[in-house]
Amino acid sequence: MKKITPFLWFDNQAEEAMNFYVSVFRNSKVLGVTPGPNGVAQSVNFELEGQEFIGLNAGPQFQFNEAISFLVDCKSQAEVDELWEKLTSDGGEESRCGWLKDKYGLSWQVIPTALGQLLSDPDPEKAGRALNAMLQMNKIDVAALQRAYDGS
């Protein structure tokens, strides 16, 4: 286990969520399931893109909210599109500026690497145009960002 591991509190769907996340991210795997009462897992351990997670079935007392999110660095528009579609499927919700909630209520930021490059340009006009374009988007569109950045 790494020194810091995200620990996710679920009502009773930790194993279902783990299997969903492992199906969404290519370099992922189930590391273990600890059985609990009534055939429902007590806890789960899994890895997504090299990051270990623990999920616990602990009841409905706490729900996820936007105060915590996971940022996914995407190298291409195709990767943004694929992850966005999978994470918003089956009850997920789109939000603004690359943010979304999956069907379990967990918040994700699906962000192309190009966004950071455009927003950090030393030319404030170019970076500002890219920022203004991004603020109008739900899912980030790299080509539209680039057009705004270029002033076209």
Side-chain angles (χ1 to χ4, degrees):
M1 181 181 296
K2 294 185 178 193
K3 190 160 185 91
I4 297 175
T5 301
F7 191 97
L8 306 174
W9 179 300
F10 292 92
D11 180 3
N12 62 4
Q13 65 279 65
E15 187 171 14
E16 175 187 316
M18 171 191 68
N19 290 326
F20 173 70
Y21 298 137
V22 167
S23 77
V24 168
F25 294 94
R26 290 187 182 135
N27 299 313
S28 303
K29 59 186 171 185
V30 172
L31 299 174
V33 176
T34 302
N38 305 322
V40 176
Q42 180 66 43
S43 65
V44 297
N45 185 261
F46 57 103
E47 186 176 291
L48 305 177
E49 301 290 344
Q51 175 62 56
E52 189 173 346
F53 291 81
I54 296 173
L56 177 69
N57 282 325
Q61 294 90 334
F62 300 107
Q63 304 295 313
F64 296 123
N65 66 52
E66 292 84 355
I68 295 291
S69 64
F70 294 106
L71 188 143
V72 183
D73 179 37
C74 298
K75 301 300 181 205
S76 67
Q77 184 68 53
E79 186 179 11
V80 168
D81 294 345
E82 176 186 353
L83 291 175
W84 191 269
E85 181 179 330
K86 288 178 178 179
L87 288 168
T88 58
S89 70
D90 199 24
E93 300 174 15
E94 293 188 6
S95 190
R96 304 294 286 170
C97 305
W99 290 59
L100 62 86
K101 280 188 190 178
D102 67 32
K103 62 185 173 181
Y104 302 102
L106 190 58
S107 292
W108 298 84
Q109 298 177 57
V110 180
I111 305 297
T113 304
L115 177 62
Q117 295 166 344
L118 296 173
L119 295 181
S120 64
D121 190 287
D123 182 331
E125 287 185 24
K126 289 180 177 180
R129 288 193 302 261
L131 174 63
N132 287 333
M134 187 256 328
L135 292 172
Q136 304 305 311
M137 298 176 182
N138 286 357
K139 178 177 70 172
I140 303 298
D141 179 335
V142 176
L145 284 176
Q146 187 67 53
R147 285 191 299 275
Y149 173 87
D150 293 338
S152 55

